[in-house]
Short mmCIF file of all heavy atoms in Angstrom, two decimals:
data_model
loop_
_atom_site.label_atom_id
_atom_site.label_comp_id
_atom_site.label_asym_id
_atom_site.label_seq_id
_atom_site.Cartn_x
_atom_site.Cartn_y
_atom_site.Cartn_z
N LEU A 1 10.82 14.83 -5.62
CA LEU A 1 9.88 15.32 -6.55
C LEU A 1 8.68 14.35 -6.65
O LEU A 1 8.54 13.49 -7.51
CB LEU A 1 10.43 15.48 -7.97
CG LEU A 1 11.42 16.74 -8.02
CD1 LEU A 1 11.94 16.85 -9.43
CD2 LEU A 1 10.70 18.05 -7.69
N ARG A 2 7.78 14.47 -5.61
CA ARG A 2 6.65 13.50 -5.55
C ARG A 2 5.33 14.36 -5.71
O ARG A 2 4.27 13.89 -5.31
CB ARG A 2 6.65 12.86 -4.17
CG ARG A 2 7.78 11.87 -3.95
CD ARG A 2 7.85 11.32 -2.62
NE ARG A 2 6.71 10.45 -2.33
CZ ARG A 2 6.60 9.15 -2.62
NH1 ARG A 2 7.51 8.59 -3.37
NH2 ARG A 2 5.46 8.47 -2.24
N SER A 3 5.48 15.59 -6.21
CA SER A 3 4.31 16.43 -6.59
C SER A 3 4.73 17.46 -7.53
O SER A 3 5.90 17.71 -7.78
CB SER A 3 3.77 17.10 -5.26
OG SER A 3 4.68 17.96 -4.81
N ASP A 4 3.75 18.12 -8.21
CA ASP A 4 4.00 19.17 -9.19
C ASP A 4 4.18 20.50 -8.42
O ASP A 4 3.34 21.35 -8.44
CB ASP A 4 2.89 19.24 -10.07
CG ASP A 4 3.06 20.27 -11.25
OD1 ASP A 4 4.25 20.66 -11.39
OD2 ASP A 4 2.15 20.63 -11.94
N CYS A 5 5.30 20.59 -7.72
CA CYS A 5 5.59 21.83 -6.88
C CYS A 5 6.46 22.79 -7.62
O CYS A 5 6.78 23.78 -6.91
CB CYS A 5 6.13 21.36 -5.54
SG CYS A 5 7.71 20.50 -5.63
N LEU A 6 6.95 22.53 -8.76
CA LEU A 6 7.92 23.42 -9.41
C LEU A 6 7.22 24.00 -10.61
O LEU A 6 6.43 23.36 -11.30
CB LEU A 6 9.19 22.64 -9.88
CG LEU A 6 9.97 22.03 -8.69
CD1 LEU A 6 11.16 21.31 -9.31
CD2 LEU A 6 10.46 23.07 -7.69
N SER A 7 7.61 25.22 -11.02
CA SER A 7 7.23 25.89 -12.27
C SER A 7 8.45 25.79 -13.16
O SER A 7 9.56 26.36 -12.87
CB SER A 7 6.89 27.37 -12.01
OG SER A 7 6.67 28.03 -13.24
N VAL A 8 8.28 24.92 -14.25
CA VAL A 8 9.42 24.63 -15.11
C VAL A 8 9.05 25.18 -16.51
O VAL A 8 8.06 24.84 -17.07
CB VAL A 8 9.75 23.20 -15.14
CG1 VAL A 8 10.89 22.87 -16.06
CG2 VAL A 8 10.02 22.64 -13.73
N ASN A 9 9.99 26.00 -17.08
CA ASN A 9 9.87 26.55 -18.41
C ASN A 9 11.08 26.24 -19.15
O ASN A 9 12.27 26.36 -18.72
CB ASN A 9 9.58 28.05 -18.36
CG ASN A 9 8.17 28.37 -17.93
OD1 ASN A 9 7.24 28.48 -18.69
ND2 ASN A 9 8.02 28.54 -16.60
N LYS A 10 10.87 25.85 -20.44
CA LYS A 10 11.99 25.63 -21.37
C LYS A 10 11.85 26.33 -22.69
O LYS A 10 10.78 26.21 -23.23
CB LYS A 10 12.09 24.12 -21.65
CG LYS A 10 13.40 23.80 -22.43
CD LYS A 10 13.58 22.26 -22.51
CE LYS A 10 14.91 22.04 -23.21
NZ LYS A 10 15.22 20.61 -23.26
N ASN A 11 12.75 27.23 -22.99
CA ASN A 11 12.71 28.09 -24.18
C ASN A 11 11.43 28.87 -24.12
O ASN A 11 10.81 29.16 -25.19
CB ASN A 11 12.77 27.30 -25.48
CG ASN A 11 14.11 26.53 -25.55
OD1 ASN A 11 15.18 27.05 -25.06
ND2 ASN A 11 14.20 25.40 -26.20
N GLY A 12 10.98 29.27 -22.88
CA GLY A 12 9.78 30.07 -22.72
C GLY A 12 8.44 29.44 -22.70
O GLY A 12 7.44 30.04 -22.55
N LYS A 13 8.53 28.07 -22.73
CA LYS A 13 7.25 27.34 -22.77
C LYS A 13 7.12 26.36 -21.51
O LYS A 13 8.16 25.89 -21.03
CB LYS A 13 7.12 26.39 -23.99
CG LYS A 13 7.12 27.23 -25.32
CD LYS A 13 6.92 26.26 -26.48
CE LYS A 13 6.83 27.04 -27.76
NZ LYS A 13 6.67 26.07 -28.98
N LYS A 14 5.94 26.27 -20.92
CA LYS A 14 5.75 25.53 -19.78
C LYS A 14 6.07 24.04 -20.00
O LYS A 14 5.67 23.45 -21.04
CB LYS A 14 4.30 25.66 -19.25
CG LYS A 14 4.00 24.88 -18.03
CD LYS A 14 2.57 24.95 -17.64
CE LYS A 14 2.26 24.07 -16.44
NZ LYS A 14 0.83 24.08 -16.03
N VAL A 15 6.78 23.35 -19.09
CA VAL A 15 6.96 21.92 -19.15
C VAL A 15 6.10 21.25 -18.09
O VAL A 15 6.14 21.61 -16.88
CB VAL A 15 8.46 21.62 -18.87
CG1 VAL A 15 8.66 20.10 -18.89
CG2 VAL A 15 9.41 22.31 -19.84
N SER A 16 5.25 20.34 -18.63
CA SER A 16 4.31 19.70 -17.65
C SER A 16 4.98 18.68 -16.71
O SER A 16 5.99 18.05 -17.07
CB SER A 16 3.24 18.97 -18.43
OG SER A 16 2.47 19.96 -19.17
N TYR A 17 4.37 18.54 -15.51
CA TYR A 17 4.89 17.45 -14.58
C TYR A 17 4.57 16.12 -15.15
O TYR A 17 3.53 15.81 -15.66
CB TYR A 17 4.11 17.75 -13.27
CG TYR A 17 4.46 16.70 -12.19
CD1 TYR A 17 5.64 16.82 -11.52
CD2 TYR A 17 3.55 15.71 -11.86
CE1 TYR A 17 5.93 15.84 -10.49
CE2 TYR A 17 3.79 14.80 -10.85
CZ TYR A 17 4.93 14.89 -10.14
OH TYR A 17 5.28 13.97 -9.12
N ASP A 18 5.55 15.24 -15.03
CA ASP A 18 5.36 13.85 -15.54
C ASP A 18 5.99 12.86 -14.49
O ASP A 18 6.72 11.94 -14.81
CB ASP A 18 6.06 13.65 -16.88
CG ASP A 18 5.50 12.35 -17.50
OD1 ASP A 18 4.54 11.80 -17.05
OD2 ASP A 18 6.14 11.94 -18.57
N GLY A 19 5.63 13.12 -13.21
CA GLY A 19 6.14 12.29 -12.17
C GLY A 19 5.04 11.48 -11.50
O GLY A 19 3.97 11.30 -12.15
N LEU A 20 5.21 10.96 -10.38
CA LEU A 20 4.20 10.13 -9.69
C LEU A 20 3.06 11.06 -9.21
O LEU A 20 3.33 12.15 -8.80
CB LEU A 20 4.82 9.42 -8.55
CG LEU A 20 5.86 8.47 -8.91
CD1 LEU A 20 6.51 7.77 -7.68
CD2 LEU A 20 5.46 7.35 -9.93
N LEU A 21 1.90 10.49 -9.15
CA LEU A 21 0.64 11.31 -8.69
C LEU A 21 0.13 10.46 -7.51
O LEU A 21 -0.22 9.33 -7.68
CB LEU A 21 -0.35 11.43 -9.85
CG LEU A 21 0.15 12.35 -11.01
CD1 LEU A 21 -0.51 12.00 -12.29
CD2 LEU A 21 -0.08 13.77 -10.64
N ILE A 22 -0.02 11.20 -6.42
CA ILE A 22 -0.19 10.49 -5.10
C ILE A 22 -1.50 10.95 -4.51
O ILE A 22 -1.83 12.13 -4.40
CB ILE A 22 0.94 10.80 -4.15
CG1 ILE A 22 2.27 10.36 -4.79
CG2 ILE A 22 0.66 10.17 -2.79
CD1 ILE A 22 3.49 10.82 -3.97
N LYS A 23 -2.37 10.01 -4.02
CA LYS A 23 -3.51 10.30 -3.17
C LYS A 23 -3.00 10.29 -1.76
O LYS A 23 -2.54 9.24 -1.25
CB LYS A 23 -4.67 9.39 -3.36
CG LYS A 23 -5.80 9.70 -2.37
CD LYS A 23 -7.03 8.93 -2.70
CE LYS A 23 -8.02 9.02 -1.46
NZ LYS A 23 -8.51 10.42 -1.32
N ARG A 24 -3.11 11.46 -1.12
CA ARG A 24 -2.62 11.55 0.28
C ARG A 24 -3.73 11.62 1.27
O ARG A 24 -4.84 12.06 0.99
CB ARG A 24 -1.73 12.79 0.40
CG ARG A 24 -0.52 12.92 -0.50
CD ARG A 24 0.24 14.15 -0.15
NE ARG A 24 1.34 14.39 -1.19
CZ ARG A 24 2.69 14.03 -1.04
NH1 ARG A 24 2.98 13.38 0.01
NH2 ARG A 24 3.47 14.39 -1.89
N GLY A 25 -3.44 11.20 2.51
CA GLY A 25 -4.41 11.26 3.50
C GLY A 25 -4.05 12.38 4.55
O GLY A 25 -3.77 13.55 4.19
N GLN A 26 -3.78 11.98 5.83
CA GLN A 26 -3.42 12.93 6.92
C GLN A 26 -1.94 12.95 7.09
O GLN A 26 -1.33 11.93 7.28
CB GLN A 26 -4.13 12.54 8.14
CG GLN A 26 -3.74 13.36 9.38
CD GLN A 26 -4.51 12.96 10.57
OE1 GLN A 26 -5.71 12.63 10.45
NE2 GLN A 26 -3.95 12.92 11.70
N PRO A 27 -1.31 14.11 7.10
CA PRO A 27 0.15 14.15 7.38
C PRO A 27 0.31 13.95 8.91
O PRO A 27 -0.55 14.17 9.72
CB PRO A 27 0.50 15.60 7.03
CG PRO A 27 -0.69 16.43 7.14
CD PRO A 27 -1.89 15.48 6.81
N GLY A 28 1.46 13.42 9.29
CA GLY A 28 1.78 13.24 10.72
C GLY A 28 2.91 14.23 11.09
O GLY A 28 3.44 14.99 10.28
N PRO A 29 3.20 14.35 12.41
CA PRO A 29 4.21 15.25 12.85
C PRO A 29 5.56 15.11 12.13
O PRO A 29 6.25 16.05 11.91
CB PRO A 29 4.28 14.95 14.36
CG PRO A 29 2.95 14.39 14.69
CD PRO A 29 2.53 13.64 13.51
N ASN A 30 5.84 13.84 11.81
CA ASN A 30 7.18 13.56 11.14
C ASN A 30 7.21 14.10 9.68
O ASN A 30 8.29 14.01 9.06
CB ASN A 30 7.49 12.08 11.13
CG ASN A 30 7.78 11.59 12.55
OD1 ASN A 30 8.18 12.35 13.43
ND2 ASN A 30 7.58 10.24 12.72
N ASP A 31 6.03 14.50 9.12
CA ASP A 31 5.98 15.02 7.80
C ASP A 31 6.30 16.51 7.76
O ASP A 31 6.23 17.14 6.73
CB ASP A 31 4.65 14.74 7.20
CG ASP A 31 4.37 13.25 6.93
OD1 ASP A 31 5.31 12.65 6.38
OD2 ASP A 31 3.34 12.82 7.37
N PHE A 32 6.66 17.10 8.91
CA PHE A 32 7.02 18.53 9.05
C PHE A 32 8.44 18.72 9.45
O PHE A 32 8.96 17.78 10.03
CB PHE A 32 6.18 19.18 10.13
CG PHE A 32 4.70 19.39 9.73
CD1 PHE A 32 3.82 18.36 9.78
CD2 PHE A 32 4.24 20.62 9.28
CE1 PHE A 32 2.46 18.51 9.41
CE2 PHE A 32 2.92 20.85 8.90
CZ PHE A 32 1.96 19.75 8.93
N VAL A 33 9.04 19.75 9.05
CA VAL A 33 10.38 20.13 9.47
C VAL A 33 10.27 21.54 10.18
O VAL A 33 9.56 22.38 9.74
CB VAL A 33 11.37 20.23 8.26
CG1 VAL A 33 10.98 21.18 7.22
CG2 VAL A 33 12.81 20.53 8.77
N THR A 34 10.93 21.66 11.33
CA THR A 34 10.92 22.86 11.99
C THR A 34 12.16 23.73 11.77
O THR A 34 13.28 23.23 11.87
CB THR A 34 10.91 22.65 13.64
OG1 THR A 34 9.66 21.95 13.87
CG2 THR A 34 10.86 23.94 14.40
N LEU A 35 11.95 24.96 11.46
CA LEU A 35 13.05 25.91 11.18
C LEU A 35 12.97 27.01 12.24
O LEU A 35 11.95 27.69 12.39
CB LEU A 35 12.95 26.53 9.81
CG LEU A 35 13.09 25.58 8.62
CD1 LEU A 35 13.01 26.35 7.29
CD2 LEU A 35 14.44 24.88 8.62
N GLN A 36 14.11 27.14 12.89
CA GLN A 36 14.20 28.24 13.87
C GLN A 36 14.46 29.53 13.20
O GLN A 36 14.90 29.53 11.92
CB GLN A 36 15.33 28.04 14.91
CG GLN A 36 15.14 26.75 15.73
CD GLN A 36 13.96 26.88 16.64
OE1 GLN A 36 13.56 27.88 17.11
NE2 GLN A 36 13.28 25.65 16.90
N PRO A 37 14.34 30.75 13.77
CA PRO A 37 14.68 31.98 13.06
C PRO A 37 16.06 32.01 12.55
O PRO A 37 16.99 31.61 13.15
CB PRO A 37 14.53 33.05 14.14
CG PRO A 37 13.57 32.44 15.12
CD PRO A 37 13.84 30.95 15.17
N GLY A 38 16.20 32.29 11.20
CA GLY A 38 17.41 32.38 10.53
C GLY A 38 17.91 30.99 10.07
O GLY A 38 18.94 30.92 9.34
#
């Protein structure tokens, strides 16, 4: 959890992200994962 990538609700109310906030540059090939069909 290094970004606000989840929608979180508690008792019907939005819960704000309170984790680390990162300035990113360029991703590299190792920042990807390959998934074959299925």
